[in-house]
């Protein structure tokens, strides 16, 4: 039976253009999805756009467009960013699609049927930027003395009729969940924050609004639209066919992994499991929250004018170097800074020097000294065996890391092997063997080619285009680039295409 894996990104608000923060979550999810596919899993990788709510409505108004025309435009821009970043999503859901409205309304009805929704009136603070209700005690003093949300977002006092979800009744079950399934929220430091928030006691959640209508109508009471977070979270269900439990994709539920940024963990680790419990549905396996990028040491913001469009970075540095940088520079789960200097250093040291040179040296020596043909596997010395054994363990070690979302550690694991290959080539000095022991030279180059094949195979999820090219240069057939294919040795004598540099060094243009 094929094993299934369902991974999601948040669905992004269409109030503005895609930026590096969106690209980051999506590249991480893409690495995981690609890795699981190579390991033989049947993967469903979901992403999409969150198109309702006041924030989007206001952005559309400011642009002088109807909300749907505006959402169409921005959603298309997100897809364009995805194409440019090689995000291999299986489905892109938009919350304005009928299939989504059907799923979200079915979830609502189920909650109502199970007695978890009641009509009341909301009176309290709301931050449109965060699309979030805040308690008085959570507010902090803003720069001009006014109260603001803990995120710094402006708040307004809202008073309107509203339906409520009886979240307060779920506190104990949530705490039990965090305790019995510690992997449900990762990293652990954030799990503790969530648990202490829940321990303080939860208030019932206002789940509908009446002061605007850009949203999914509440079933049976269309004066209300669903609170945008309930609408949005339901995407993870509607995309797999909910409420139709005979839908072909329903088998993917529950999701294995919701990847989210730390700012939206509360919604995924508290509201979402409570809503699912209320509806009697199985809970996702894991919610992993990653950190935030600053840009050249500063918070990224429209007012500072430093919002980075990932497509600009790709145009300047190339796609794979940027995907690599994003996954390498920030320990997955922590925070980090994005700077030109750091991008160039990663490109030149780790890609051009460590990996690029290794491939170039190996392949050009095969081209020059072995007639461009892959040498046969020779008798292995202890050193050969050690190197190949370390390389062969990579798929397994990395798989365990990928399942914990240790995406940066997994890269470090590959680089250990790359560094070992570089030490090996220096020590074996195959260029000297040419005159003294041509057979051994062939053996050494073959060991390196075999190690490189494994390295390129396991790095495909991070840098799909460049690793594709590297595998082609190593004579690995197109359909034989998954982990299972590594068990079959490459045929000796295979004619290798002329080697071509894969990672050029980045040289800054001279300042004039
Ligand atoms: N629409 C909601 C999510 C609903 S999911 C059911 C939303 N959208 S968002 O457009 O604001 O995108 C949020 C995602 O982008 C989060 O995962 C957030 O952490 C990420 N990032 C936004 N800025 C970021 C950085 N500067 N750095 C890293 N990620 C950041 O919230």
């Amino acid at each position: 039976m094929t094993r299934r894996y369902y991974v999601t990104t948040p669905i992004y608000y269409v109030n503005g253009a895609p930026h590096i923060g969106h690209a980051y979550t999506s590249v991480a999810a893409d690495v995981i999805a690609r890795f699981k596919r190579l390991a033989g899993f049947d993967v469903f990788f979901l992403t999409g756009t969150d198109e309702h709510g006041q924030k989007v409505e206001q952005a559309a108004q400011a642009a002088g467009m109807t909300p749907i025309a505006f959402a169409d435009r921005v959603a298309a821009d997100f897809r364009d960013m995805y194409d440019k970043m090689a995000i291999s999503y299986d489905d892109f859901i938009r919350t304005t699609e009928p299939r989504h409205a059907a799923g979200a309304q079915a979830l609502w009805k189920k909650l109502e049927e199970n007695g978890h929704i009641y009509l009341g009136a909301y009176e309290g603070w709301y931050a449109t930027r965060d699309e979030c209700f805040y308690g008085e005690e959570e507010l902090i003093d803003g720069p001009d003395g006014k109260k603001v949300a803990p995120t710094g977002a402006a708040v307004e006092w809202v008073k309107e009729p509203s339906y409520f979800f009886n979240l307060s009744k779920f506190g104990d079950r949530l705490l039990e969940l965090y305790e019995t399934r510690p992997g449900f929220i990762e990293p652990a430091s954030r799990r503790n924050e969530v648990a202490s928030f829940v321990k303080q006691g939860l208030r019932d959640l206002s789940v509908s609004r009446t002061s605007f209508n850009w949203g999914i109508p509440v079933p049976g009471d269309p004066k209300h639209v669903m609170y945008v977070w309930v609408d949005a979270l339901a995407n993870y269900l509607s995309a797999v066919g909910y409420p139709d439990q005979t839908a072909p994709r329903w088998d993917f539920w529950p999701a294995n992994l919701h990847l989210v940024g730390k700012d939206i963990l509360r919604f995924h680790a508290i509201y979402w499991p409570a809503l699912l419990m209320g509806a009697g549905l199985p809970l996702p396996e894991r919610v992993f929250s990653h950190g935030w990028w600053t840009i050249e040491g500063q918070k990224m913001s429209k007012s500072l004018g430093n919002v980075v469009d990932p497509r600009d970075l790709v145009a300047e540095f190339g796609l794979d170097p940027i995907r690599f940088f994003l996954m390498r520079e920030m320990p997955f789960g922590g925070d980090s800074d994005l700077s030109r200097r750091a991008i160039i250093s990663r490109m030149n040291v780790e890609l051009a020097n460590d990996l690029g040179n290794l491939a170039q040296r190996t392949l050009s020596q095969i081209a020059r000294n072995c007639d461009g043909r892959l040498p046969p596997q020779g008798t292995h010395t202890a050193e050969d065996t050690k190197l190949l054994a370390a390389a062969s363990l990579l798929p397994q070690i990395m798989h365990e890391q990928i399942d914990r979302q240790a995406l940066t550690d997994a890269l470090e694991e590959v680089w250990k092997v790359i560094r070992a290959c570089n030490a090996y080539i220096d020590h074996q000095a195959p260029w000297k063997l040419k005159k003294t022991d041509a057979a051994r030279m062939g053996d050494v180059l073959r060991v390196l080619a075999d190690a490189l094949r494994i390295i390129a195979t396991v790095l495909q999820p991070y840098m799909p285009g460049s690793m594709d090219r590297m595998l082609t240069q190593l004579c690995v057939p197109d359909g034989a680039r998954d982990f299972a294919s590594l068990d079959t040795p490459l045929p000796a004598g295979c004619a290798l295409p002329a080697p071509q540099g894969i990672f050029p060094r980045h040289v800054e243009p001279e300042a004039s």
Side-chain angles (χ1 to χ4, degrees):
M1 201 183 88
T2 354
R3 292 157 304 166
R4 292 191 185 85
Y5 194 83
Y6 178 13
V7 54
T8 68
T9 72
I11 48 171
Y12 303 109
Y13 288 126
V14 289
N15 62 312
H19 60 59
I20 196 73
H22 307 123
Y24 180 63
T25 323
S26 304
V27 169
D30 186 58
V31 168
I32 296 169
R34 287 175 184 268
F35 194 97
K36 297 297 279 192
R37 290 190 197 111
L38 289 176
F41 281 70
D42 184 9
V43 171
F44 181 53
F45 170 14
L46 175 68
T47 190
T49 38
D50 188 354
E51 305 190 354
H52 290 128
Q54 252 172 320
K55 173 153 131 161
V56 172
E57 189 181 58
Q58 287 172 5
Q61 263 159 16
M65 294 172 82
T66 61
I68 190 63
F70 186 71
D72 283 346
R73 190 176 80 185
V74 182
D77 203 27
F78 266 91
R79 278 182 189 265
D80 176 71
M81 184 272 278
Y82 272 17
D83 291 345
K84 304 229 157 73
M85 300 293 292
I87 307 295
S88 65
Y89 58 87
D90 296 297
D91 195 358
F92 188 105
I93 191 161
R94 299 181 55 185
T95 53
T96 47
E97 288 176 69
R99 61 167 172 158
H100 172 69
Q105 288 182 327
L107 178 66
W108 181 286
K109 280 194 226 148
K110 193 71 190 164
L111 290 167
E112 201 166 39
E113 206 177 291
N114 292 352
H116 297 303
I117 285 186
Y118 63 91
L119 184 60
Y122 180 78
E123 192 167 0
W125 296 104
Y126 191 77
T128 303
R129 195 182 87 189
D130 301 345
E131 296 285 16
C132 184
F133 300 98
Y134 288 107
E136 181 86 35
E137 72 293 346
E138 288 183 275
L139 303 185
I140 57 168
D141 289 323
D144 54 2
K146 265 207 210 143
K147 291 280 179 201
V148 293
T151 55
V155 288
E156 58 174 334
W157 187 256
V158 170
K159 191 176 171 192
E160 59 189 13
S162 171
Y163 284 94
F164 285 83
F165 168 62
N166 63 1
L167 182 64
S168 59
K169 303 249 162 48
F170 289 85
D172 289 343
R173 284 180 69 185
L174 288 169
L175 290 172
E176 190 191 323
L177 165 71
Y178 310 150
E179 202 149 299
T180 52
R181 284 178 40 195
F184 180 75
I185 305 175
E186 290 283 353
S189 54
R190 303 236 171 84
R191 179 192 320 138
N192 298 336
E193 282 168 27
V194 170
S196 38
F197 183 83
V198 173
K199 275 185 198 140
Q200 287 166 22
L202 295 169
R203 268 189 297 265
D204 286 352
L205 180 67
S206 164
V207 286
S208 74
R209 305 287 310 269
T210 44
S211 48
F212 64 95
N213 57 19
W214 180 235
I216 297 179
V218 163
D221 195 351
K223 285 192 301 303
H224 292 250
V225 293
M226 285 166 67
Y227 170 39
V228 67
W229 266 102
V230 174
D231 164 346
L233 288 162
N235 93 88
Y236 302 133
L237 285 175
S238 50
V240 288
Y242 184 80
D244 178 5
Q245 307 205 356
T246 62
R249 278 186 186 157
W250 180 251
D251 289 343
F252 280 104
W253 190 260
N256 297 85
L257 175 65
H258 294 312
L259 264 190
V260 300
K262 61 182 180 180
D263 51 317
I264 55 172
L265 181 60
R266 185 194 287 191
F267 303 95
H268 285 83
I270 301 176
Y271 301 171
W272 185 225
L275 290 166
L276 291 167
M277 286 171 183
L281 289 165
L283 306 184
E285 210 175 289
R286 261 167 106 73
V287 178
F288 189 98
S289 74
H290 64 69
W292 270 47
W293 288 100
T294 50
I295 309 298
E296 306 283 353
Q298 283 188 303
K299 202 176 159 188
M300 183 167 73
S301 79
K302 276 192 197 151
S303 49
L304 287 174
N306 65 349
V307 176
V308 174
D309 185 327
R311 291 168 289 196
D312 293 341
L313 294 179
V314 169
E316 180 168 11
F317 298 106
L319 173 57
D320 284 345
I322 292 304
R323 286 176 60 109
F324 175 76
F325 173 81
L326 292 175
M327 295 297 106
R328 180 71 189 86
E329 182 75 6
M330 172 135 109
F332 202 67
D335 296 314
S336 197
D337 186 51
L338 184 147
S339 68
R340 286 187 72 81
R341 195 194 46 73
I343 295 175
I344 294 168
S345 151
R346 293 276 177 210
M347 281 180 79
N348 288 349
V349 177
E350 277 153 312
L351 295 182
N353 276 5
D354 294 348
L355 178 55
N357 272 350
L358 171 67
Q360 191 62 16
R361 283 161 99 190
T362 306
L363 292 166
S364 61
Q365 287 183 65
I366 296 179
R368 259 199 323 270
N369 302 332
C370 309
D371 203 17
R373 293 186 180 275
L374 193 68
Q377 281 180 330
T379 325
H380 288 160
T381 65
E383 259 188 292
D384 302 351
T385 308
K386 191 168 159 216
L387 187 70
L388 289 172
S392 307
L393 280 176
L394 283 176
Q396 189 192 328
I397 296 176
M398 289 172 77
H399 201 160
E400 184 269 328
Q401 290 169 316
I402 297 281
D403 280 343
R404 288 189 282 116
Q405 291 77 54
L407 305 184
T408 317
D409 294 352
L411 276 179
E412 181 49 32
E413 213 56 45
V414 187
W415 251 258
K416 279 187 204 156
V417 176
I418 294 173
R419 287 191 286 263
C421 286
N422 279 317
Y424 173 91
I425 196 169
D426 288 341
H427 187 232
Q428 300 290 331
W431 54 92
K432 284 192 197 152
L433 290 168
K434 189 183 169 196
K435 294 212 177 83
T436 55
D437 189 347
R440 176 64 192 153
M441 174 196 70
D443 293 354
V444 167
L445 292 174
R446 175 64 197 239
V447 167
L448 286 163
D450 285 345
L452 267 175
R453 174 201 186 186
I454 300 173
I455 290 166
T457 302
V458 297
L459 284 179
Q460 288 175 99
Y462 292 84
M463 301 185 281
S466 335
M467 292 306 102
D468 239 22
R469 289 197 292 283
M470 193 175 284
L471 288 166
T472 301
Q473 295 198 27
L474 284 161
C475 205
V476 182
D478 242 353
R481 295 178 176 185
D482 58 352
F483 299 152
S485 302
L486 289 173
D487 295 340
T488 314
L490 295 174
C494 177
L496 305 186
Q500 279 179 341
I502 296 211
F503 296 115
R505 282 184 70 79
H506 180 88
V507 183
E508 281 286 59
E510 294 279 332
S512 50

